[in-house]
Amino acid sequence: MDNTATHNSPRTWFLTSSLSPLCIRLIRLLLGHGDYVVACLPPQELENDERSAEFRELVNECKSNRKDREGWKDRIRGIRCDGRVMGACGAAVAEAVQVFGRIDILLCCKYEAVVGTVEELAATPATRNLVRDQFETIFFSQVNFIKAALPQFRAQHTGHIMVLTSIGGHIGTPGMSVYTAATWALEGFCDSLAYEIAPFNIKVTIVQPNKEIQSLTNKIIFAPQLPAAYYADYDGGSGSGGGGDSSSIHNSGGPLPPTAPSIRDIMSNVLNANPDTAVEPSEDEIQHRYPHLPAATLDRLVMETVHALTAIGGHENPPARHIVGFEGSIAVREKLKTVTEEMEDFVEASLAVDIFESELKDEAREGRAAMAMAMMMDAHMTGTGAALKTTLLALGTGPTTANPTPPSSAGLAGTALPDAAPLRFPSRPSRHVLFAPGLTLLLPPRAIMTLDPLVPVAPARVRALVVPIGQIKRDRFAAFVDRLNVENIVHLRDVTPDGRPNRNMFSPLAFPGGAMFYELMTYHPPPSHVALSPFDRYRKPLVLIAVADGVELQKSMFSKRHSGGRTVEETNIRALTQELEDLRDHYSQILVHQVLIFDYLPSTDKPVPIPEGLVTIPPPEKHLRTTMKTVMCDVSALLLAEMTTLAKAYEGRSYLDSPGTSASHTTNGLDDFSGRRNSQYSVPVGSRSSSAGGINDKIQARMSMPPVPFKGGSPLASSSSTPGRPSTPVGSRSGLANPPTTFDDFPAGGDSVPTSPEQHARPGTSEGHRTQSQDRVAVQGFGPGGINERMRTKTKCRIQVVVGSLYLQAGLWNIAIRELSEAATVAKSINDHLWHGKALELALISLLLLGWAGIEFQVPTIMLPPPEKGTALAAAIQDAESRDPQQPRWLRNLQIYIPELLDRILNLYTRVSGEHLPPLPLSEATIRSCRMLAALHIAEGQLGAESLDMIVFGKIPQIPLTTSPRFTIVPVRTQIVATLFRAFPASASELLTTVDRIVILSGIASVLGMLGFQRKKAMVVRELISVLVGGLVEARTRGAADVGIHPAAGLVGLNGLNGQANGANGAAASLEIGADDVEQGIEAFLGLVLKTYGVVADNLGTAIATGEVRDDSDATILSIIHKQSTARLFGMHQVKLNILRSCINFSEALPDFAGVLKYSSDLLRTAGSGIAPGPRREDAYPTISRDEQIRLARNISKTSNLSKRLGMGHLAAEYWDEFLVRGVKLEPLPVTRTPIPHAKSVLPEVSTARTSQDVNPFIYNPFLKKSDAVVERVLVAGETASFRLTLQNPYEIEVEIESIRIDTEGADFESAVESTVIGAYRTQILRVTGVAKGAGPLRVTGAIIRARGCRERRFPIFTEPWAPENEIKIKAIGVAALDVNSSLPSPAIERLTPVTLELSAIAEQPVVVVKSCTLPQSSVMILEGERQVFSVTLENLSTTTPADFLLFSFQDSTQEPLQLALSSRDATPSELYEYELILAKKQALRLRKRGDSRRFIAPGETATFDFEILGKPGLTTGLIQIDYAHLGVPQDEVGETFYTRQVSLALTVTVNASVDVTRVDVLPLHGSVPEALWLRTGHQKDASVEKPTMDTHCLLLVDLRNAWPSQVHVEIECDDGSKVEDDILPGNTSRVVLPVKRIYLEEPHAFIPALNPSRQRQFVFSTKITPDVERANREAFWYREKILGSLKGTWRATSGAARSGDIELRSIRLTSRMIEAVKVDEVGIDISMVDPEDDDGSSSSSSSSSSSSGSGSSSGSNVVAVDEFMQVRVRITNRTDQPMYPTLRLMPALRHRPQNVALDFTRKFSWNGTLQQALPLLPARATAEVVTGVTALCRGAFEVAASVEETRLWAPTSDEEEERESRKRASRPRSDTQTMMDAVLGARERRIWHSRRPCQFVVRDRR
């Protein structure tokens, strides 16, 4: 087993108690994940059958053969162990290690709860033992397991101890005091243990679910209750005594009010729900129960905890504590809140000991306890509770919004949990920060402020310049900056204050609820912006962060100038230290300089010391949760300390000029610290700056790259004279007028700061020096009201504004409000309008940030509206309160004041005075103000969470506004727009650079987009494009420096090159211009313009440039077509084309390859018709000229090729016609390879198949079916299939298709890649091949095509013609009309449905061909009745697939006439039988068995099969069809559908006549067969052999004709051995006579059968046939079949070729005469004459009977005497199987007499009795004799005939009927059809039989 285990690899769990429902579900989840489990089984629980039943079920699951339980039994080990015995614990651990090799996780999960109050548990010795047992169970047993496992964990150098307790470890519960004590003891033990074992890499986690999770799944012990008298005096606070009966007292469970249920009540109620666990109140009995809960309830109860355990167990960085469930976390939070509130209430007692300075003590009394509370809560949630929040978020149950909705009262038990693998713990939790009561702010894990400079709170941000240092790659640098941006908001409560007393001016302790907002910049701001400081102090960076790559430290030395280190790493670290010093010298005005070494792992052998100023950051996988947060907090701490020095330097200034004013004064100090070294590691000498010169920054860094330090020389330029106050007249060389033309013309310093009119101090003093002119004193204006006093007041006021802005940037918003309100008051009094407006603006931002943080504030008096507006404002406040009473009062007041206050600020900025605000800050301030108003308007005029997020974070509203009127919402949109356009730059303004104009125009467009004015926004953006195009073209033609901009620097924000241009992190600069646009650079606002004008653009946007995978599904493409068709009907077409041409020019000017590709394709798309032409040839010509089309296509091709050469191969255009593919069709395979589908039911049954054929001849043969429509949709795996693709090109240019392949779904399919060129304005067909790699359903959904210069994408198949329709008319204004129409369903789009080609790919199949045949040229000549055998050899051409299924079918020219005859309605049943017999037994072709052939052809092998052909009349052609396939399984296991291929062999047959039967007759015998005839039939002359007689045989006469030109020998053989042979000459006819046996039939009128099973189920009743005719037909049929069954005729040619065959005797037809000659009657009548005196009845005259009477001669024994008494004996034989009631009639007559004489018996013949008599019942197959005495009275010849008639019909009894039915069931049952056919014979009638010959005798006189 592997010695290491990660969180995701299989882990070994050791569970100290495994019989609880929670543990069983945990084990099941662990085994399913692949982990190993050691399950300890407490003996006392294991012996309880109910407790261990569920575990035994788990054991049975592990032993079962279920696939999902495979291997479980090998990964679980159950150990019987009592944790209270230390030896047993050690043995269990040793056994676990022996079995699984290691233990990764020890889960201490033993639990049982003792319910009882403290006094109840102390009442008796038994209850006191419960206390000991509780500690033994919860504490000591788990400690024993931990102690036993620790040696193993230390040996492994890893391990994780998890202790499952409950929130009882935080919160006590009445009635469970001893359980709480044991839990706290165990958790305290684990807290201490965690520190002791941490060096061994052993981690400890306490998991705390709700109490009910553990209580309701384990043993509950109830201590006896105290007697009722104990509660007798309890009055619940009302003095009313007990207040209830004993039951209510008992139910109270302790000293609690009866209305508050105790824990005993709660547990009892749960247990009482099940009768088996009911608990009765008891005062003397200890009761224990195991709760029985339903399985579903248990799952909801424990599965959340189970998933939490699997997520945390074995994690590399698990939490120390983890609270499971929302309710538990809330309860713990409330408990901690109570603790902190109590600490705050007793803060005086805590501070009684004087350990602080008095100032700090006062601050602590003023509210530092609240800060401590917030820090405690944050630390708790970050440490022990962060895992809780992370798990909740992972489970989908945690709060995701600012106001999380708590779950139902059932807690998280009912929350849907994932059923996948165990959860893996995230690496970083979200931050949940609590602020003042009443407001909770939830920050997402990566809440990053937008870098938009026009966001309303932009002046509150701290700019940090991020530069690369050392060797670092660009992508790595960008990634490190992204990691810093994660923590760009730093809360002051997390910042450690500086301990130096002179650095606490901006101490975070002053306002821990504040926050600092960082703006990380990778480029230095332009000089025109820096010149606006200190009026806009936020424009200058205060922090410099140098980013180094720790991976590069050990690779090679950064510089050869730096050496001396022991290793390369140490040398490079020293080099970074020196470069940090260079950066401090170069960027001397930046306050904090810090080097961050990312992904640095120190050496474990000899770690290199890290110098001061360098900070190492481990790789992300080694991060702690607070690593990056700590880095930014440390940077913030340094910055706050240094801001004190900066603020004091400002306070020492003698004068501050406004931006854009002339400078006529000198200065004794610069704006910030010119030439000053960073003082973050040294204490300044004084509070004022000692700089005397006016040295400016030399900003020489390239603006296209992050600034880097200069290698040589000082970056500072000295100046001998101090510049005066700057002025910005038109034509001056300042940064605000005309920008520098070269990089060397950039100013050397950062700011040019004016001086005060006061005189300078002398050299050497702290005041500086004075000049001669400055020693003069002006008399006029001297004194307090003079000019100098006003200047000092103005300077002080302005400095206070600057200091207030520093407080704002430092996050000390409350102090900033104080400073700024005071400064605003002073500025107002001295009419310093610009600074008055600045103070009000910054103060308003401070108030908004306080509101965002949820801190109550009061609007300063200076910011209140004038008194004349008080009435209207009061009414507005009341109206706002009525709309939302829950809104905080301070926010409600501020939202009412904001519109008037912003209007006042802008008026101050634009007021006519001696100082004018430059256009840039004025426009930006106007835009910021309008964005505040827009945020209020979007939030329905309410200042709350939504509007504050838009103001602070710059969030874009999710749902954009429309042009619908919103007059009731204040501020009104029209007022906002009117104010906004005041920021619109003048066209001829020379004080704005191109970049500034772009930013301002973009900001205006952004606000217009937020307000829903899309058309106005488009107008502004169009102006923006003109500015961009002009600037870019000039930059490309004259060079970047000639116009003062550089494309990479000036447009860095526009192109998103600073790494922040994405929707999540905020867009850069001016690009947040759309309400719901994806802000990603130039394409975003150009796309906005195109959308506004209705350009038919590619709606999938930026995927072209980013290489992302696009969604090319049918739904997406239909949506695109819908939007494009809607856009075609919107706006003016020519304007769209012009806009697109401008966008192309703009992209070429950048250059922007992605833009050139996109807008060129958009122009082609917009110019196209957007239709799918049909047969009517709709006009699909584009609206631009052919030359322009060619130019655009070449432009796309060239740009794409260029981007590939430059390494940007992912750039491609989007093809401009969605209807490229107009059809896909599968070309049919050759007939011999076409797979044909069949149902499983058509497979022949091998056990009953005849050798002649494989299918029933009377059932429709599906293998002969020709179904072209079906087989065209089947592919064979591994074989090439060809498709015909129809492509359209409605443009007048050729389209080069670089690659095209089939797009499929379902089975694996590999398409060949083809290329082609589609001609101009045509439809073209292309053949594309492909191979199915596997079997299964296959769907062709389109084609994946790459046109030259375009993205490879999928195109659906549109076969039907289609054109957009303008059927929808929606009343809307502007872009809203386009959006509304796009969102509505379109009938035209509903008709547009992509077509798919449904195919089926089957497994690989063999290919069989006919290799050879023994018939020459597949032709044969044969005689009628002759059979010839020939062989066919089949070859399998496949080299991999055998043919294991072969089925042979035959067709010939005789089958069709027979089938037509069978379908005739006039055919009789006997004729149908004849036709069916020929089909079934007289096939012209059939397969013959041979010993060496089997129906299997191996790959590449052959097989030979023998066939037989029978000569039949009408046979001219034949076909042998072989259906073959590879099934791979037995036929009974074949699926419902299988496929075969066919190969056939056509035969040409010539059939000549041989021997014909010309005539047939049957004659009765009159006497015996002549001896000559008998001998001729092949019998020997033997007297012992009885010859045939007339009673047993008849004669068959057959005339045979030889139609063959050669002599033939014929033989006719009977089944009794008789055989007649004869030779017949050609053309002659010969008669053959053959005695045949007479036939007796049991049922001569039986139903004529049908060989076709389907016809047996059919019955057609015909009224044309009478019952007599039907009986005659049936009788003729059966006697004929009996005769034919006994005869066989053959012929053989005696000359020429050896030929032989069968004589077709089925042409024999029997007449009624023939039938009488051949049949034997059902009743036999034998008549004989007997002498009565003869004892044996034979001594007198001989008998004469129908069966044995003589020939009728008068001689012999048939002579009797006259008057002699004789007896006529009649023997009646019943040959049927039914009894009968016979009536015998004797009919004597004279022979040879007419009838009238013959029947006259007078004096001629006498008899005794009657001639007619009814006989008794004659049983079946029985014989009866009747004797009648007669006497002849005269001589003569007499005869006696007899007849037998049924007296009545015999009806069987019930017993006889049952016996008959049983016999029928034993035989073949009669079908219903047969029963109906019997009805055709009519009703059953009485029958009569006559003797065939009378008994003849001669009477003579007695001698």
Side-chain angles (χ1 to χ4, degrees), residues 705-724:
M705 288 290 291
V708 295
F710 288 90
K711 300 299 181 182
S714 173
L716 303 177
S718 60
S719 178
S720 57
S721 61
T722 302

PDB file of all heavy atoms in Angstrom, residues 705-724:
ATOM      1  N   MET A 705       5.043  50.092 -21.376  1.00  0.00           N
ATOM      2  CA  MET A 705       5.431  49.013 -20.468  1.00  0.00           C
ATOM      3  C   MET A 705       5.382  49.557 -19.056  1.00  0.00           C
ATOM      4  O   MET A 705       5.423  50.772 -18.839  1.00  0.00           O
ATOM      5  CB  MET A 705       6.863  48.546 -20.780  1.00  0.00           C
ATOM      6  CG  MET A 705       6.976  47.768 -22.062  1.00  0.00           C
ATOM      7  SD  MET A 705       6.209  46.153 -21.915  1.00  0.00           S
ATOM      8  CE  MET A 705       7.359  45.386 -20.765  1.00  0.00           C
ATOM      9  N   PRO A 706       5.267  48.670 -18.063  1.00  0.00           N
ATOM     10  CA  PRO A 706       5.343  49.166 -16.690  1.00  0.00           C
ATOM     11  C   PRO A 706       6.669  49.873 -16.456  1.00  0.00           C
ATOM     12  O   PRO A 706       7.703  49.490 -16.996  1.00  0.00           O
ATOM     13  CB  PRO A 706       5.245  47.876 -15.861  1.00  0.00           C
ATOM     14  CG  PRO A 706       4.571  46.908 -16.760  1.00  0.00           C
ATOM     15  CD  PRO A 706       5.017  47.262 -18.143  1.00  0.00           C
ATOM     16  N   PRO A 707       6.632  50.943 -15.680  1.00  0.00           N
ATOM     17  CA  PRO A 707       7.857  51.726 -15.481  1.00  0.00           C
ATOM     18  C   PRO A 707       8.922  50.913 -14.792  1.00  0.00           C
ATOM     19  O   PRO A 707       8.639  50.122 -13.903  1.00  0.00           O
ATOM     20  CB  PRO A 707       7.378  52.889 -14.607  1.00  0.00           C
ATOM     21  CG  PRO A 707       6.131  52.404 -13.985  1.00  0.00           C
ATOM     22  CD  PRO A 707       5.511  51.464 -14.921  1.00  0.00           C
ATOM     23  N   VAL A 708      10.147  51.102 -15.232  1.00  0.00           N
ATOM     24  CA  VAL A 708      11.287  50.388 -14.659  1.00  0.00           C
ATOM     25  C   VAL A 708      12.335  51.407 -14.260  1.00  0.00           C
ATOM     26  O   VAL A 708      12.396  52.515 -14.797  1.00  0.00           O
ATOM     27  CB  VAL A 708      11.883  49.387 -15.678  1.00  0.00           C
ATOM     28  CG1 VAL A 708      10.877  48.293 -15.987  1.00  0.00           C
ATOM     29  CG2 VAL A 708      12.260  50.085 -16.974  1.00  0.00           C
ATOM     30  N   PRO A 709      13.177  51.069 -13.306  1.00  0.00           N
ATOM     31  CA  PRO A 709      14.201  52.029 -12.884  1.00  0.00           C
ATOM     32  C   PRO A 709      15.252  52.237 -13.947  1.00  0.00           C
ATOM     33  O   PRO A 709      15.486  51.387 -14.797  1.00  0.00           O
ATOM     34  CB  PRO A 709      14.775  51.365 -11.628  1.00  0.00           C
ATOM     35  CG  PRO A 709      14.494  49.915 -11.796  1.00  0.00           C
ATOM     36  CD  PRO A 709      13.204  49.841 -12.538  1.00  0.00           C
ATOM     37  N   PHE A 710      15.900  53.425 -13.866  1.00  0.00           N
ATOM     38  CA  PHE A 710      16.943  53.751 -14.824  1.00  0.00           C
ATOM     39  C   PHE A 710      18.260  53.183 -14.351  1.00  0.00           C
ATOM     40  O   PHE A 710      18.541  53.119 -13.148  1.00  0.00           O
ATOM     41  CB  PHE A 710      17.061  55.285 -14.980  1.00  0.00           C
ATOM     42  CG  PHE A 710      15.900  55.867 -15.718  1.00  0.00           C
ATOM     43  CD1 PHE A 710      14.774  56.301 -15.035  1.00  0.00           C
ATOM     44  CD2 PHE A 710      15.905  55.961 -17.096  1.00  0.00           C
ATOM     45  CE1 PHE A 710      13.706  56.820 -15.699  1.00  0.00           C
ATOM     46  CE2 PHE A 710      14.827  56.491 -17.771  1.00  0.00           C
ATOM     47  CZ  PHE A 710      13.723  56.927 -17.071  1.00  0.00           C
ATOM     48  N   LYS A 711      19.017  52.718 -15.321  1.00  0.00           N
ATOM     49  CA  LYS A 711      20.262  52.036 -14.987  1.00  0.00           C
ATOM     50  C   LYS A 711      21.377  53.005 -14.624  1.00  0.00           C
ATOM     51  O   LYS A 711      22.242  52.704 -13.831  1.00  0.00           O
ATOM     52  CB  LYS A 711      20.702  51.154 -16.162  1.00  0.00           C
ATOM     53  CG  LYS A 711      19.683  50.088 -16.508  1.00  0.00           C
ATOM     54  CD  LYS A 711      19.450  49.151 -15.348  1.00  0.00           C
ATOM     55  CE  LYS A 711      18.463  48.090 -15.689  1.00  0.00           C
ATOM     56  NZ  LYS A 711      18.184  47.200 -14.547  1.00  0.00           N
ATOM     57  N   GLY A 712      21.430  54.113 -15.204  1.00  0.00           N
ATOM     58  CA  GLY A 712      22.530  55.002 -14.941  1.00  0.00           C
ATOM     59  C   GLY A 712      22.113  56.428 -14.769  1.00  0.00           C
ATOM     60  O   GLY A 712      21.185  56.915 -15.362  1.00  0.00           O
ATOM     61  N   GLY A 713      22.824  57.141 -13.941  1.00  0.00           N
ATOM     62  CA  GLY A 713      22.536  58.546 -13.747  1.00  0.00           C
ATOM     63  C   GLY A 713      21.380  58.783 -12.839  1.00  0.00           C
ATOM     64  O   GLY A 713      20.538  57.928 -12.618  1.00  0.00           O
ATOM     65  N   SER A 714      21.338  59.964 -12.302  1.00  0.00           N
ATOM     66  CA  SER A 714      20.225  60.329 -11.424  1.00  0.00           C
ATOM     67  C   SER A 714      19.029  60.711 -12.255  1.00  0.00           C
ATOM     68  O   SER A 714      19.143  61.418 -13.245  1.00  0.00           O
ATOM     69  CB  SER A 714      20.631  61.512 -10.538  1.00  0.00           C
ATOM     70  OG  SER A 714      19.525  61.975  -9.819  1.00  0.00           O
ATOM     71  N   PRO A 715      17.871  60.251 -11.868  1.00  0.00           N
ATOM     72  CA  PRO A 715      16.679  60.607 -12.636  1.00  0.00           C
ATOM     73  C   PRO A 715      16.193  61.998 -12.349  1.00  0.00           C
ATOM     74  O   PRO A 715      15.218  62.425 -12.924  1.00  0.00           O
ATOM     75  CB  PRO A 715      15.669  59.557 -12.160  1.00  0.00           C
ATOM     76  CG  PRO A 715      16.081  59.248 -10.767  1.00  0.00           C
ATOM     77  CD  PRO A 715      17.553  59.368 -10.726  1.00  0.00           C
ATOM     78  N   LEU A 716      16.843  62.686 -11.463  1.00  0.00           N
ATOM     79  CA  LEU A 716      16.384  64.022 -11.092  1.00  0.00           C
ATOM     80  C   LEU A 716      17.206  65.072 -11.814  1.00  0.00           C
ATOM     81  O   LEU A 716      18.422  64.965 -11.944  1.00  0.00           O
ATOM     82  CB  LEU A 716      16.512  64.223  -9.575  1.00  0.00           C
ATOM     83  CG  LEU A 716      15.760  63.178  -8.721  1.00  0.00           C
ATOM     84  CD1 LEU A 716      16.029  63.445  -7.251  1.00  0.00           C
ATOM     85  CD2 LEU A 716      14.289  63.221  -9.034  1.00  0.00           C
ATOM     86  N   ALA A 717      16.523  66.120 -12.264  1.00  0.00           N
ATOM     87  CA  ALA A 717      17.202  67.240 -12.922  1.00  0.00           C
ATOM     88  C   ALA A 717      17.197  68.423 -11.970  1.00  0.00           C
ATOM     89  O   ALA A 717      16.166  68.793 -11.428  1.00  0.00           O
ATOM     90  CB  ALA A 717      16.510  67.581 -14.231  1.00  0.00           C
ATOM     91  N   SER A 718      18.331  68.981 -11.749  1.00  0.00           N
ATOM     92  CA  SER A 718      18.427  70.140 -10.848  1.00  0.00           C
ATOM     93  C   SER A 718      18.016  71.403 -11.566  1.00  0.00           C
ATOM     94  O   SER A 718      18.095  71.524 -12.762  1.00  0.00           O
ATOM     95  CB  SER A 718      19.858  70.269 -10.318  1.00  0.00           C
ATOM     96  OG  SER A 718      20.732  70.448 -11.400  1.00  0.00           O
ATOM     97  N   SER A 719      17.641  72.372 -10.804  1.00  0.00           N
ATOM     98  CA  SER A 719      17.224  73.662 -11.343  1.00  0.00           C
ATOM     99  C   SER A 719      17.749  74.739 -10.438  1.00  0.00           C
ATOM    100  O   SER A 719      17.671  74.679  -9.239  1.00  0.00           O
ATOM    101  CB  SER A 719      15.705  73.720 -11.466  1.00  0.00           C
ATOM    102  OG  SER A 719      15.305  74.956 -11.937  1.00  0.00           O
ATOM    103  N   SER A 720      18.276  75.746 -11.049  1.00  0.00           N
ATOM    104  CA  SER A 720      18.857  76.851 -10.271  1.00  0.00           C
ATOM    105  C   SER A 720      17.825  77.840  -9.827  1.00  0.00           C
ATOM    106  O   SER A 720      18.075  78.643  -8.951  1.00  0.00           O
ATOM    107  CB  SER A 720      19.938  77.558 -11.105  1.00  0.00           C
ATOM    108  OG  SER A 720      19.354  78.003 -12.310  1.00  0.00           O
ATOM    109  N   SER A 721      16.703  77.837 -10.418  1.00  0.00           N
ATOM    110  CA  SER A 721      15.672  78.801 -10.049  1.00  0.00           C
ATOM    111  C   SER A 721      14.395  78.056  -9.755  1.00  0.00           C
ATOM    112  O   SER A 721      14.108  77.023 -10.316  1.00  0.00           O
ATOM    113  CB  SER A 721      15.448  79.812 -11.186  1.00  0.00           C
ATOM    114  OG  SER A 721      15.019  79.102 -12.334  1.00  0.00           O
ATOM    115  N   THR A 722      13.634  78.616  -8.888  1.00  0.00           N
ATOM    116  CA  THR A 722      12.351  78.013  -8.504  1.00  0.00           C
ATOM    117  C   THR A 722      11.278  78.512  -9.441  1.00  0.00           C
ATOM    118  O   THR A 722      11.106  79.707  -9.620  1.00  0.00           O
ATOM    119  CB  THR A 722      12.019  78.400  -7.060  1.00  0.00           C
ATOM    120  OG1 THR A 722      13.074  77.964  -6.222  1.00  0.00           O
ATOM    121  CG2 THR A 722      10.716  77.779  -6.631  1.00  0.00           C
ATOM    122  N   PRO A 723      10.541  77.626 -10.057  1.00  0.00           N
ATOM    123  CA  PRO A 723       9.505  78.087 -10.983  1.00  0.00           C
ATOM    124  C   PRO A 723       8.383  78.754 -10.228  1.00  0.00           C
ATOM    125  O   PRO A 723       8.096  78.456  -9.080  1.00  0.00           O
ATOM    126  CB  PRO A 723       9.036  76.786 -11.653  1.00  0.00           C
ATOM    127  CG  PRO A 723       9.359  75.706 -10.666  1.00  0.00           C
ATOM    128  CD  PRO A 723      10.579  76.148  -9.950  1.00  0.00           C
ATOM    129  N   GLY A 724       7.758  79.680 -10.884  1.00  0.00           N
ATOM    130  CA  GLY A 724       6.623  80.360 -10.288  1.00  0.00           C
ATOM    131  C   GLY A 724       5.362  79.545 -10.425  1.00  0.00           C
ATOM    132  O   GLY A 724       5.362  78.398 -10.803  1.00  0.00           O
TER     133      GLY A 724
END
